[in-house]
Amino acid sequence: MRYPKTNKIEVADIYFGTTVKDPYRWLEDDRSSETKAWVEAENKVTQNFLSGIPFRTAIKTRLEKLWNYEKYTAPFKEGAYTYFYKNDGLQNQYVLYRQKDKGKTEMFLNPNTFSKDGTTSLAGIEFTKDGSMAAYQISEGGSDWRKVLVIKTADRSIVGDTLIDVKFSGLAWKGNEGFYYSSYDKPKEGSQLSGLTQHHKLYFHKIGTQQKDDKLIFGGEENKRRYIGADLTEDQRFLVITAAESTTGNELYIQDLSKTGSPIVKVVNNFKADHTVIASEDNKLYIHTNLNAPNYKIVTVDASNPAPENWKDLIPETENVLTAGTGGGRIFADYLKDATSMVMQYDMEGNLERTVTLPGIGSASGFNAKKTEKELYYTFTSYIYPPTIYRYIIASGQSVEYKKAGVEFDPSRFESKQIFYTSKDGTKVPMIITYKKGIELNGKNPTLLYGYGGFSVSLSPVFSTSNIVLLEQGGIYAVPNLRGGGEYGEKWHIAGTKMNKQNVFDDFIAAAEYLISNKYTSKDYLAISGGSNGGLLVAAVMSQRPELFKVALPAVGVLDMLRYNKFTAGAGWAFDYGTAEESKEMFEYLLKYSPYHALKPGVSYPATMITTADHDDRVVPAHSFKFAARLQEYHTGSSPALIRIETNAGHGAGKPTAKIIEEQADKWAFMLYNMGLTSRQ
């Protein structure tokens, strides 16, 4: 491979007496003409390589055929209408439709008209309680910075001005008067995409007024917080505010909106645990929390005296991790049992009414509805069970199939089984392995090992249309539930954070070794994949065990662990990662595994295709740029070390279908080609 020449400019930082060189730091400037030229040159090399793969077009054609079926989301009710999202097949963005009673279905919002190339997406919508107005967010080019438009639902006419520069925000309506939203002061110096965003602020926007006049509710000089969220209880009585410094742990505040001039009351005054208010009845609050309960529980408290010492257990902690929703005057406790769903229905007094009968072992989502509803809709899926929507009758517990996925896939031909393997330190880790029935365990099956392992994110089984390409060709898809995730509660999460982060990499490496030793695959047919924190995972393990993998696919990864906290909201990830500045020990630990720094000259690394996007303002593309430059400098051997940089796209949310299919086709083509295989279409 002949790669573009990447200039090296001597730059260094000193941490606790240790000098760390950073010759590719100039690539952090996403506004410079030099960086733009480098991106263009790298993309040219990558596309030249990919275009030379003889079966790349066949894979893309197959993906387009597989993708081309009607896709629906579960319906939800707002005012007099039932709303749902639908994609005809290859539309770039899902369209929001609505139906009144059993009348004619009508298109409500079509994000495909927001931009010519489909890169402007609908990033959330919230309705007033009576359904007469809605506020929706749009994202341009995948950016986390959003615009908010308000419309009358009767005729979709726009109300007032468009709000701009809104980031990491929900929208919480207070009657028809206005809504609460959160944002940061946009960086005034440097890049708008990579500039540091430090202090979140909660505002109230009154309909018919200008954004500059919006009232600051929380997050001023007296209470600076990195993340602030707001919601209203369904009866509109309480404003609930969550405030946090990192992605784990939050303060909790309430304000009684039924009393004019009511103060904001602090419920929890520290960041040691996570808390959300899931419901209220009169003066009683229902709180989902992991305070002194790593697997979570539900407690109740009187809003007039809401401090934690007054909390009473309603649904106590169990051995399984609990999330919760409400609907029809019931609580739905959704437990993770070895990373799969188990749902139990309780009344509001905490009495168990039934265990919900699910269609199988997999993932159920959507057990939420308004208090007055008699039914709700949930979606069930697994690695071999295409997403199917069920109508659930709350009083009887009956599930009725509502909408089945029309994807060209026969689940009876495939198998998905969970095994437990042993990690380096003896910890048992679950992994689900999916493949075509009757597969021969001869070590020659192309295998994709996917992982995440961070931020208490749980990987439960979900169907992927893209994965059909691998499975129908005799390939294997394997997903381990690594430490750092939330599959076994906060203890499992903590076991993969800061100076325990190596546990995550060891778990992933052990998963690879299990697949090899049990003849599912071998190192010549094993690829690893992950995005964001999962991109860090892939890049870290390929630097630690380069001989173990044939192909590495790190996507939008956090790859410079010494500087991740210098960009956008990166400082908020310190709970999981720690920072190079906090102590000598933490610096040395980060330096050892930081993918950008862990690469060594003269090493033959796996065939690598790094993917990122020029508008990613979550994990800035500089991480991937610098890692690619150093990988190309140090890598020996004949396997390619490429970077694929998507233009006018972000961290992933809202990416148009056309771009998704192109990226997935490139991924499978790159993987199979570098394993010496041909597509069997």
Side-chain angles (χ1 to χ4, degrees), residues 58-71 89-90 406-410 463-470 472 661 668 681:
I59 290 179
K60 183 181 177 186
T61 301
R62 178 62 177 146
L63 282 170
E64 287 175 337
K65 185 181 178 184
L66 288 168
W67 232 278
N68 196 10
Y69 68 95
E70 287 185 336
K71 292 173 278 289
L90 295 175
V407 64
E408 183 187 314
F409 181 79
D410 180 3
F463 186 80
S464 163
T465 302
S466 175
N467 285 351
I468 299 174
V469 168
L470 177 66
E472 66 186 3
I661 290 175
W668 295 126
Q681 302 297 345

PDB file of all heavy atoms in Angstrom, residues 58-71 89-90 406-410 463-470 472 661 668 681:
ATOM      1  N   ALA A  58     -21.574  -6.523  -5.599  1.00  0.00           N
ATOM      2  CA  ALA A  58     -22.561  -7.580  -5.353  1.00  0.00           C
ATOM      3  C   ALA A  58     -23.081  -7.507  -3.917  1.00  0.00           C
ATOM      4  O   ALA A  58     -24.283  -7.708  -3.668  1.00  0.00           O
ATOM      5  CB  ALA A  58     -21.944  -8.946  -5.631  1.00  0.00           C
ATOM      6  N   ILE A  59     -22.192  -7.223  -2.970  1.00  0.00           N
ATOM      7  CA  ILE A  59     -22.620  -7.101  -1.570  1.00  0.00           C
ATOM      8  C   ILE A  59     -23.549  -5.904  -1.399  1.00  0.00           C
ATOM      9  O   ILE A  59     -24.588  -5.996  -0.730  1.00  0.00           O
ATOM     10  CB  ILE A  59     -21.395  -6.990  -0.643  1.00  0.00           C
ATOM     11  CG1 ILE A  59     -20.658  -8.333  -0.582  1.00  0.00           C
ATOM     12  CG2 ILE A  59     -21.824  -6.565   0.767  1.00  0.00           C
ATOM     13  CD1 ILE A  59     -19.411  -8.313   0.288  1.00  0.00           C
ATOM     14  N   LYS A  60     -23.188  -4.778  -2.023  1.00  0.00           N
ATOM     15  CA  LYS A  60     -24.044  -3.592  -1.913  1.00  0.00           C
ATOM     16  C   LYS A  60     -25.429  -3.866  -2.516  1.00  0.00           C
ATOM     17  O   LYS A  60     -26.461  -3.489  -1.937  1.00  0.00           O
ATOM     18  CB  LYS A  60     -23.389  -2.398  -2.611  1.00  0.00           C
ATOM     19  CG  LYS A  60     -24.205  -1.117  -2.475  1.00  0.00           C
ATOM     20  CD  LYS A  60     -23.569   0.050  -3.190  1.00  0.00           C
ATOM     21  CE  LYS A  60     -24.454   1.282  -3.095  1.00  0.00           C
ATOM     22  NZ  LYS A  60     -23.937   2.422  -3.892  1.00  0.00           N
ATOM     23  N   THR A  61     -25.455  -4.539  -3.661  1.00  0.00           N
ATOM     24  CA  THR A  61     -26.729  -4.875  -4.300  1.00  0.00           C
ATOM     25  C   THR A  61     -27.564  -5.778  -3.401  1.00  0.00           C
ATOM     26  O   THR A  61     -28.783  -5.612  -3.268  1.00  0.00           O
ATOM     27  CB  THR A  61     -26.481  -5.564  -5.649  1.00  0.00           C
ATOM     28  OG1 THR A  61     -25.730  -4.673  -6.492  1.00  0.00           O
ATOM     29  CG2 THR A  61     -27.787  -5.925  -6.336  1.00  0.00           C
ATOM     30  N   ARG A  62     -26.911  -6.733  -2.760  1.00  0.00           N
ATOM     31  CA  ARG A  62     -27.613  -7.641  -1.853  1.00  0.00           C
ATOM     32  C   ARG A  62     -28.174  -6.875  -0.653  1.00  0.00           C
ATOM     33  O   ARG A  62     -29.324  -7.103  -0.243  1.00  0.00           O
ATOM     34  CB  ARG A  62     -26.661  -8.739  -1.372  1.00  0.00           C
ATOM     35  CG  ARG A  62     -27.280  -9.726  -0.388  1.00  0.00           C
ATOM     36  CD  ARG A  62     -28.419 -10.490  -0.999  1.00  0.00           C
ATOM     37  NE  ARG A  62     -28.972 -11.480  -0.076  1.00  0.00           N
ATOM     38  CZ  ARG A  62     -30.260 -11.812  -0.033  1.00  0.00           C
ATOM     39  NH1 ARG A  62     -31.126 -11.241  -0.857  1.00  0.00           N
ATOM     40  NH2 ARG A  62     -30.682 -12.726   0.814  1.00  0.00           N
ATOM     41  N   LEU A  63     -27.364  -5.970  -0.099  1.00  0.00           N
ATOM     42  CA  LEU A  63     -27.826  -5.182   1.041  1.00  0.00           C
ATOM     43  C   LEU A  63     -29.022  -4.316   0.668  1.00  0.00           C
ATOM     44  O   LEU A  63     -29.979  -4.191   1.437  1.00  0.00           O
ATOM     45  CB  LEU A  63     -26.686  -4.310   1.575  1.00  0.00           C
ATOM     46  CG  LEU A  63     -25.646  -5.015   2.442  1.00  0.00           C
ATOM     47  CD1 LEU A  63     -24.454  -4.101   2.689  1.00  0.00           C
ATOM     48  CD2 LEU A  63     -26.246  -5.453   3.774  1.00  0.00           C
ATOM     49  N   GLU A  64     -28.980  -3.707  -0.510  1.00  0.00           N
ATOM     50  CA  GLU A  64     -30.106  -2.880  -0.950  1.00  0.00           C
ATOM     51  C   GLU A  64     -31.381  -3.714  -1.070  1.00  0.00           C
ATOM     52  O   GLU A  64     -32.471  -3.259  -0.700  1.00  0.00           O
ATOM     53  CB  GLU A  64     -29.777  -2.224  -2.291  1.00  0.00           C
ATOM     54  CG  GLU A  64     -28.759  -1.103  -2.175  1.00  0.00           C
ATOM     55  CD  GLU A  64     -28.339  -0.535  -3.510  1.00  0.00           C
ATOM     56  OE1 GLU A  64     -28.471  -1.246  -4.529  1.00  0.00           O
ATOM     57  OE2 GLU A  64     -27.849   0.608  -3.528  1.00  0.00           O
ATOM     58  N   LYS A  65     -31.246  -4.945  -1.564  1.00  0.00           N
ATOM     59  CA  LYS A  65     -32.409  -5.828  -1.677  1.00  0.00           C
ATOM     60  C   LYS A  65     -32.935  -6.205  -0.299  1.00  0.00           C
ATOM     61  O   LYS A  65     -34.150  -6.204  -0.051  1.00  0.00           O
ATOM     62  CB  LYS A  65     -32.038  -7.079  -2.475  1.00  0.00           C
ATOM     63  CG  LYS A  65     -33.233  -7.993  -2.736  1.00  0.00           C
ATOM     64  CD  LYS A  65     -32.838  -9.238  -3.518  1.00  0.00           C
ATOM     65  CE  LYS A  65     -34.054 -10.149  -3.728  1.00  0.00           C
ATOM     66  NZ  LYS A  65     -33.680 -11.410  -4.411  1.00  0.00           N
ATOM     67  N   LEU A  66     -32.010  -6.548   0.617  1.00  0.00           N
ATOM     68  CA  LEU A  66     -32.409  -6.930   1.971  1.00  0.00           C
ATOM     69  C   LEU A  66     -33.079  -5.774   2.702  1.00  0.00           C
ATOM     70  O   LEU A  66     -34.025  -5.967   3.475  1.00  0.00           O
ATOM     71  CB  LEU A  66     -31.191  -7.406   2.764  1.00  0.00           C
ATOM     72  CG  LEU A  66     -30.604  -8.764   2.377  1.00  0.00           C
ATOM     73  CD1 LEU A  66     -29.242  -8.967   3.043  1.00  0.00           C
ATOM     74  CD2 LEU A  66     -31.550  -9.899   2.782  1.00  0.00           C
ATOM     75  N   TRP A  67     -32.568  -4.564   2.491  1.00  0.00           N
ATOM     76  CA  TRP A  67     -33.057  -3.373   3.198  1.00  0.00           C
ATOM     77  C   TRP A  67     -34.420  -2.918   2.677  1.00  0.00           C
ATOM     78  O   TRP A  67     -35.144  -2.196   3.360  1.00  0.00           O
ATOM     79  CB  TRP A  67     -32.062  -2.231   3.035  1.00  0.00           C
ATOM     80  CG  TRP A  67     -31.633  -1.579   4.311  1.00  0.00           C
ATOM     81  CD1 TRP A  67     -32.299  -0.615   5.012  1.00  0.00           C
ATOM     82  CD2 TRP A  67     -30.430  -1.849   5.046  1.00  0.00           C
ATOM     83  NE1 TRP A  67     -31.590  -0.254   6.135  1.00  0.00           N
ATOM     84  CE2 TRP A  67     -30.425  -0.996   6.177  1.00  0.00           C
ATOM     85  CE3 TRP A  67     -29.353  -2.702   4.861  1.00  0.00           C
ATOM     86  CZ2 TRP A  67     -29.392  -0.980   7.107  1.00  0.00           C
ATOM     87  CZ3 TRP A  67     -28.320  -2.684   5.782  1.00  0.00           C
ATOM     88  CH2 TRP A  67     -28.345  -1.844   6.891  1.00  0.00           C
ATOM     89  N   ASN A  68     -34.765  -3.335   1.471  1.00  0.00           N
ATOM     90  CA  ASN A  68     -35.912  -2.762   0.772  1.00  0.00           C
ATOM     91  C   ASN A  68     -37.229  -3.441   1.178  1.00  0.00           C
ATOM     92  O   ASN A  68     -37.853  -4.158   0.402  1.00  0.00           O
ATOM     93  CB  ASN A  68     -35.704  -2.857  -0.738  1.00  0.00           C
ATOM     94  CG  ASN A  68     -36.664  -1.951  -1.494  1.00  0.00           C
ATOM     95  OD1 ASN A  68     -37.357  -1.115  -0.901  1.00  0.00           O
ATOM     96  ND2 ASN A  68     -36.709  -2.113  -2.804  1.00  0.00           N
ATOM     97  N   TYR A  69     -37.619  -3.223   2.411  1.00  0.00           N
ATOM     98  CA  TYR A  69     -38.919  -3.684   2.894  1.00  0.00           C
ATOM     99  C   TYR A  69     -39.480  -2.625   3.840  1.00  0.00           C
ATOM    100  O   TYR A  69     -38.739  -1.816   4.389  1.00  0.00           O
ATOM    101  CB  TYR A  69     -38.798  -5.036   3.613  1.00  0.00           C
ATOM    102  CG  TYR A  69     -38.049  -4.988   4.926  1.00  0.00           C
ATOM    103  CD1 TYR A  69     -38.732  -4.843   6.144  1.00  0.00           C
ATOM    104  CD2 TYR A  69     -36.663  -5.089   4.963  1.00  0.00           C
ATOM    105  CE1 TYR A  69     -38.051  -4.800   7.339  1.00  0.00           C
ATOM    106  CE2 TYR A  69     -35.969  -5.045   6.167  1.00  0.00           C
ATOM    107  CZ  TYR A  69     -36.668  -4.904   7.340  1.00  0.00           C
ATOM    108  OH  TYR A  69     -35.990  -4.851   8.537  1.00  0.00           O
ATOM    109  N   GLU A  70     -40.798  -2.620   4.011  1.00  0.00           N
ATOM    110  CA  GLU A  70     -41.426  -1.623   4.874  1.00  0.00           C
ATOM    111  C   GLU A  70     -41.034  -1.858   6.323  1.00  0.00           C
ATOM    112  O   GLU A  70     -41.125  -2.981   6.825  1.00  0.00           O
ATOM    113  CB  GLU A  70     -42.952  -1.672   4.733  1.00  0.00           C
ATOM    114  CG  GLU A  70     -43.468  -1.112   3.420  1.00  0.00           C
ATOM    115  CD  GLU A  70     -44.976  -1.056   3.374  1.00  0.00           C
ATOM    116  OE1 GLU A  70     -45.632  -1.827   4.117  1.00  0.00           O
ATOM    117  OE2 GLU A  70     -45.512  -0.248   2.596  1.00  0.00           O
ATOM    118  N   LYS A  71     -40.603  -0.803   6.971  1.00  0.00           N
ATOM    119  CA  LYS A  71     -40.180  -0.880   8.371  1.00  0.00           C
ATOM    120  C   LYS A  71     -41.020   0.094   9.200  1.00  0.00           C
ATOM    121  O   LYS A  71     -41.221   1.236   8.789  1.00  0.00           O
ATOM    122  CB  LYS A  71     -38.683  -0.546   8.483  1.00  0.00           C
ATOM    123  CG  LYS A  71     -37.789  -1.604   7.850  1.00  0.00           C
ATOM    124  CD  LYS A  71     -36.323  -1.173   7.815  1.00  0.00           C
ATOM    125  CE  LYS A  71     -36.019  -0.263   6.654  1.00  0.00           C
ATOM    126  NZ  LYS A  71     -36.038  -0.946   5.346  1.00  0.00           N
ATOM    127  N   GLY A  89     -38.721   1.489   2.635  1.00  0.00           N
ATOM    128  CA  GLY A  89     -37.710   0.499   2.266  1.00  0.00           C
ATOM    129  C   GLY A  89     -36.328   1.107   2.229  1.00  0.00           C
ATOM    130  O   GLY A  89     -35.506   0.875   3.104  1.00  0.00           O
ATOM    131  N   LEU A  90     -36.086   1.922   1.213  1.00  0.00           N
ATOM    132  CA  LEU A  90     -34.771   2.538   1.036  1.00  0.00           C
ATOM    133  C   LEU A  90     -34.801   4.046   1.258  1.00  0.00           C
ATOM    134  O   LEU A  90     -33.857   4.748   0.878  1.00  0.00           O
ATOM    135  CB  LEU A  90     -34.228   2.219  -0.370  1.00  0.00           C
ATOM    136  CG  LEU A  90     -33.938   0.736  -0.633  1.00  0.00           C
ATOM    137  CD1 LEU A  90     -33.535   0.517  -2.097  1.00  0.00           C
ATOM    138  CD2 LEU A  90     -32.857   0.205   0.293  1.00  0.00           C
ATOM    139  N   GLY A 406     -40.868  -7.384   7.461  1.00  0.00           N
ATOM    140  CA  GLY A 406     -40.952  -8.024   6.152  1.00  0.00           C
ATOM    141  C   GLY A 406     -39.609  -8.358   5.541  1.00  0.00           C
ATOM    142  O   GLY A 406     -39.518  -8.603   4.332  1.00  0.00           O
ATOM    143  N   VAL A 407     -38.579  -8.405   6.352  1.00  0.00           N
ATOM    144  CA  VAL A 407     -37.235  -8.652   5.834  1.00  0.00           C
ATOM    145  C   VAL A 407     -37.114 -10.083   5.301  1.00  0.00           C
ATOM    146  O   VAL A 407     -37.752 -11.009   5.803  1.00  0.00           O
ATOM    147  CB  VAL A 407     -36.172  -8.403   6.934  1.00  0.00           C
ATOM    148  CG1 VAL A 407     -36.332  -9.371   8.090  1.00  0.00           C
ATOM    149  CG2 VAL A 407     -34.767  -8.442   6.364  1.00  0.00           C
ATOM    150  N   GLU A 408     -36.307 -10.242   4.271  1.00  0.00           N
ATOM    151  CA  GLU A 408     -36.076 -11.553   3.656  1.00  0.00           C
ATOM    152  C   GLU A 408     -35.099 -12.350   4.522  1.00  0.00           C
ATOM    153  O   GLU A 408     -33.889 -12.318   4.336  1.00  0.00           O
ATOM    154  CB  GLU A 408     -35.489 -11.358   2.244  1.00  0.00           C
ATOM    155  CG  GLU A 408     -35.265 -12.639   1.471  1.00  0.00           C
ATOM    156  CD  GLU A 408     -34.537 -12.383   0.156  1.00  0.00           C
ATOM    157  OE1 GLU A 408     -34.922 -11.440  -0.557  1.00  0.00           O
ATOM    158  OE2 GLU A 408     -33.572 -13.102  -0.146  1.00  0.00           O
ATOM    159  N   PHE A 409     -35.656 -13.053   5.508  1.00  0.00           N
ATOM    160  CA  PHE A 409     -34.822 -13.793   6.451  1.00  0.00           C
ATOM    161  C   PHE A 409     -35.652 -14.896   7.079  1.00  0.00           C
ATOM    162  O   PHE A 409     -36.754 -14.649   7.572  1.00  0.00           O
ATOM    163  CB  PHE A 409     -34.288 -12.855   7.546  1.00  0.00           C
ATOM    164  CG  PHE A 409     -33.398 -13.520   8.561  1.00  0.00           C
ATOM    165  CD1 PHE A 409     -32.070 -13.796   8.270  1.00  0.00           C
ATOM    166  CD2 PHE A 409     -33.893 -13.870   9.811  1.00  0.00           C
ATOM    167  CE1 PHE A 409     -31.252 -14.404   9.210  1.00  0.00           C
ATOM    168  CE2 PHE A 409     -33.080 -14.479  10.753  1.00  0.00           C
ATOM    169  CZ  PHE A 409     -31.757 -14.749  10.446  1.00  0.00           C
ATOM    170  N   ASP A 410     -35.139 -16.118   7.068  1.00  0.00           N
ATOM    171  CA  ASP A 410     -35.828 -17.261   7.647  1.00  0.00           C
ATOM    172  C   ASP A 410     -35.128 -17.668   8.941  1.00  0.00           C
ATOM    173  O   ASP A 410     -34.092 -18.333   8.912  1.00  0.00           O
ATOM    174  CB  ASP A 410     -35.814 -18.427   6.655  1.00  0.00           C
ATOM    175  CG  ASP A 410     -36.533 -19.662   7.198  1.00  0.00           C
ATOM    176  OD1 ASP A 410     -37.089 -19.586   8.317  1.00  0.00           O
ATOM    177  OD2 ASP A 410     -36.529 -20.694   6.498  1.00  0.00           O
ATOM    178  N   PHE A 463     -31.741  -7.573  16.194  1.00  0.00           N
ATOM    179  CA  PHE A 463     -31.590  -8.039  14.824  1.00  0.00           C
ATOM    180  C   PHE A 463     -30.894  -6.983  13.976  1.00  0.00           C
ATOM    181  O   PHE A 463     -31.114  -5.790  14.147  1.00  0.00           O
ATOM    182  CB  PHE A 463     -32.957  -8.357  14.225  1.00  0.00           C
ATOM    183  CG  PHE A 463     -32.901  -8.987  12.872  1.00  0.00           C
ATOM    184  CD1 PHE A 463     -32.631 -10.343  12.743  1.00  0.00           C
ATOM    185  CD2 PHE A 463     -33.098  -8.243  11.733  1.00  0.00           C
ATOM    186  CE1 PHE A 463     -32.571 -10.938  11.494  1.00  0.00           C
ATOM    187  CE2 PHE A 463     -33.044  -8.821  10.480  1.00  0.00           C
ATOM    188  CZ  PHE A 463     -32.780 -10.174  10.360  1.00  0.00           C
ATOM    189  N   SER A 464     -30.050  -7.426  13.069  1.00  0.00           N
ATOM    190  CA  SER A 464     -29.359  -6.519  12.153  1.00  0.00           C
ATOM    191  C   SER A 464     -29.541  -7.010  10.726  1.00  0.00           C
ATOM    192  O   SER A 464     -29.134  -8.136  10.393  1.00  0.00           O
ATOM    193  CB  SER A 464     -27.862  -6.461  12.484  1.00  0.00           C
ATOM    194  OG  SER A 464     -27.118  -5.904  11.406  1.00  0.00           O
ATOM    195  N   THR A 465     -30.148  -6.185   9.892  1.00  0.00           N
ATOM    196  CA  THR A 465     -30.302  -6.539   8.478  1.00  0.00           C
ATOM    197  C   THR A 465     -28.946  -6.729   7.822  1.00  0.00           C
ATOM    198  O   THR A 465     -28.743  -7.641   7.012  1.00  0.00           O
ATOM    199  CB  THR A 465     -31.110  -5.454   7.748  1.00  0.00           C
ATOM    200  OG1 THR A 465     -32.386  -5.307   8.376  1.00  0.00           O
ATOM    201  CG2 THR A 465     -31.313  -5.809   6.281  1.00  0.00           C
ATOM    202  N   SER A 466     -27.995  -5.889   8.176  1.00  0.00           N
ATOM    203  CA  SER A 466     -26.664  -5.984   7.587  1.00  0.00           C
ATOM    204  C   SER A 466     -26.004  -7.325   7.861  1.00  0.00           C
ATOM    205  O   SER A 466     -25.314  -7.889   7.007  1.00  0.00           O
ATOM    206  CB  SER A 466     -25.776  -4.849   8.128  1.00  0.00           C
ATOM    207  OG  SER A 466     -24.451  -4.980   7.670  1.00  0.00           O
ATOM    208  N   ASN A 467     -26.221  -7.872   9.058  1.00  0.00           N
ATOM    209  CA  ASN A 467     -25.561  -9.126   9.433  1.00  0.00           C
ATOM    210  C   ASN A 467     -26.014 -10.324   8.605  1.00  0.00           C
ATOM    211  O   ASN A 467     -25.337 -11.357   8.584  1.00  0.00           O
ATOM    212  CB  ASN A 467     -25.791  -9.425  10.918  1.00  0.00           C
ATOM    213  CG  ASN A 467     -24.949  -8.549  11.822  1.00  0.00           C
ATOM    214  OD1 ASN A 467     -24.069  -7.833  11.363  1.00  0.00           O
ATOM    215  ND2 ASN A 467     -25.237  -8.585  13.112  1.00  0.00           N
ATOM    216  N   ILE A 468     -27.162 -10.193   7.921  1.00  0.00           N
ATOM    217  CA  ILE A 468     -27.624 -11.294   7.077  1.00  0.00           C
ATOM    218  C   ILE A 468     -26.564 -11.649   6.038  1.00  0.00           C
ATOM    219  O   ILE A 468     -26.361 -12.827   5.714  1.00  0.00           O
ATOM    220  CB  ILE A 468     -28.960 -10.932   6.392  1.00  0.00           C
ATOM    221  CG1 ILE A 468     -30.047 -10.665   7.436  1.00  0.00           C
ATOM    222  CG2 ILE A 468     -29.408 -12.053   5.457  1.00  0.00           C
ATOM    223  CD1 ILE A 468     -31.359 -10.152   6.836  1.00  0.00           C
ATOM    224  N   VAL A 469     -25.866 -10.630   5.525  1.00  0.00           N
ATOM    225  CA  VAL A 469     -24.827 -10.856   4.517  1.00  0.00           C
ATOM    226  C   VAL A 469     -23.771 -11.827   5.041  1.00  0.00           C
ATOM    227  O   VAL A 469     -23.309 -12.718   4.316  1.00  0.00           O
ATOM    228  CB  VAL A 469     -24.173  -9.520   4.098  1.00  0.00           C
ATOM    229  CG1 VAL A 469     -22.911  -9.750   3.287  1.00  0.00           C
ATOM    230  CG2 VAL A 469     -25.164  -8.676   3.308  1.00  0.00           C
ATOM    231  N   LEU A 470     -23.401 -11.669   6.294  1.00  0.00           N
ATOM    232  CA  LEU A 470     -22.411 -12.566   6.893  1.00  0.00           C
ATOM    233  C   LEU A 470     -23.007 -13.945   7.175  1.00  0.00           C
ATOM    234  O   LEU A 470     -22.420 -14.977   6.819  1.00  0.00           O
ATOM    235  CB  LEU A 470     -21.875 -11.955   8.187  1.00  0.00           C
ATOM    236  CG  LEU A 470     -20.885 -12.798   8.995  1.00  0.00           C
ATOM    237  CD1 LEU A 470     -19.580 -12.991   8.229  1.00  0.00           C
ATOM    238  CD2 LEU A 470     -20.615 -12.161  10.357  1.00  0.00           C
ATOM    239  N   GLU A 472     -25.666 -15.576   5.993  1.00  0.00           N
ATOM    240  CA  GLU A 472     -26.103 -16.439   4.902  1.00  0.00           C
ATOM    241  C   GLU A 472     -24.931 -16.994   4.096  1.00  0.00           C
ATOM    242  O   GLU A 472     -25.099 -17.901   3.290  1.00  0.00           O
ATOM    243  CB  GLU A 472     -27.089 -15.689   3.990  1.00  0.00           C
ATOM    244  CG  GLU A 472     -26.506 -14.521   3.219  1.00  0.00           C
ATOM    245  CD  GLU A 472     -27.577 -13.751   2.449  1.00  0.00           C
ATOM    246  OE1 GLU A 472     -28.778 -14.092   2.572  1.00  0.00           O
ATOM    247  OE2 GLU A 472     -27.215 -12.812   1.721  1.00  0.00           O
ATOM    248  N   ILE A 661     -25.896   1.822   3.968  1.00  0.00           N
ATOM    249  CA  ILE A 661     -25.692   0.673   3.086  1.00  0.00           C
ATOM    250  C   ILE A 661     -24.299   0.709   2.462  1.00  0.00           C
ATOM    251  O   ILE A 661     -23.606  -0.318   2.396  1.00  0.00           O
ATOM    252  CB  ILE A 661     -26.795   0.621   2.009  1.00  0.00           C
ATOM    253  CG1 ILE A 661     -28.127   0.247   2.664  1.00  0.00           C
ATOM    254  CG2 ILE A 661     -26.433  -0.354   0.893  1.00  0.00           C
ATOM    255  CD1 ILE A 661     -29.313   0.287   1.720  1.00  0.00           C
ATOM    256  N   TRP A 668     -18.166  -5.278   4.912  1.00  0.00           N
ATOM    257  CA  TRP A 668     -18.166  -6.711   4.602  1.00  0.00           C
ATOM    258  C   TRP A 668     -17.183  -7.041   3.491  1.00  0.00           C
ATOM    259  O   TRP A 668     -16.493  -8.075   3.544  1.00  0.00           O
ATOM    260  CB  TRP A 668     -19.568  -7.185   4.221  1.00  0.00           C
ATOM    261  CG  TRP A 668     -20.576  -7.105   5.323  1.00  0.00           C
ATOM    262  CD1 TRP A 668     -21.791  -6.482   5.277  1.00  0.00           C
ATOM    263  CD2 TRP A 668     -20.489  -7.681   6.635  1.00  0.00           C
ATOM    264  NE1 TRP A 668     -22.459  -6.611   6.462  1.00  0.00           N
ATOM    265  CE2 TRP A 668     -21.685  -7.347   7.320  1.00  0.00           C
ATOM    266  CE3 TRP A 668     -19.519  -8.420   7.305  1.00  0.00           C
ATOM    267  CZ2 TRP A 668     -21.936  -7.741   8.631  1.00  0.00           C
ATOM    268  CZ3 TRP A 668     -19.768  -8.811   8.612  1.00  0.00           C
ATOM    269  CH2 TRP A 668     -20.952  -8.485   9.258  1.00  0.00           C
ATOM    270  N   GLN A 681     -22.434 -14.712  -3.173  1.00  0.00           N
ATOM    271  CA  GLN A 681     -23.765 -14.300  -3.633  1.00  0.00           C
ATOM    272  C   GLN A 681     -24.132 -15.053  -4.919  1.00  0.00           C
ATOM    273  O   GLN A 681     -23.277 -15.268  -5.752  1.00  0.00           O
ATOM    274  CB  GLN A 681     -23.790 -12.792  -3.885  1.00  0.00           C
ATOM    275  CG  GLN A 681     -23.431 -11.986  -2.661  1.00  0.00           C
ATOM    276  CD  GLN A 681     -24.423 -12.165  -1.531  1.00  0.00           C
ATOM    277  OE1 GLN A 681     -25.502 -12.660  -1.736  1.00  0.00           O
ATOM    278  NE2 GLN A 681     -24.048 -11.788  -0.327  1.00  0.00           N
TER     279      GLN A 681
END
